[in-house]
Amino acid sequence: MKEVEQQGSQVMPYEGRHDPNQQERHTKTLAIRVEETLHAQLRFIAQLRETSITDEIRQAIETRIASAQDDPEIIARAQQARDELEREAAARSAAIRDFGFEWGI
């Protein structure tokens, strides 16, 4: 299956990596503002690598995410967020359980 990237209402060929095991790729469009000099540098890098600016940005984001997954501070904060979600879920579950027993559900 040929992957596509949606831009606005147009469907365009997806130039990124292809995962043959993935049936469908869901994409989101991001709009960012950068200074002209940064854009020129990024465009130049993309030309040298024979890729697109979109591919360069995607690679930068993937690299950033990979480094965040190894960052002890981020890992600790993610664990705190998970613990809080689990506490909230347990409290809601208990409330539903208690509600059901009181009303014979």
Side-chain angles (χ1 to χ4, degrees), residues 14-27:
Y14 178 73
E15 298 174 0
R17 296 185 188 113
H18 177 67
D19 181 357
N21 297 323
Q22 188 173 3
Q23 292 293 324
E24 185 177 334
R25 180 178 294 271
H26 299 279
T27 62

Side-chain angles (χ1 to χ4, degrees), residues 75-87:
I75 293 168
R77 292 176 75 178
Q79 185 61 49
Q80 289 172 346
R82 181 180 181 170
D83 293 345
E84 180 61 26
L85 287 172
E86 288 175 355
R87 279 191 294 275

Side-chain angles (χ1 to χ4, degrees), residues 77-105:
R77 292 176 75 178
Q79 185 61 49
Q80 289 172 346
R82 181 180 181 170
D83 293 345
E84 180 61 26
L85 287 172
E86 288 175 355
R87 279 191 294 275
E88 289 175 10
R92 288 181 182 190
S93 179
I96 291 169
R97 183 188 61 241
D98 294 345
F99 179 81
F101 286 131
E102 289 180 22
W103 293 91
I105 296 176

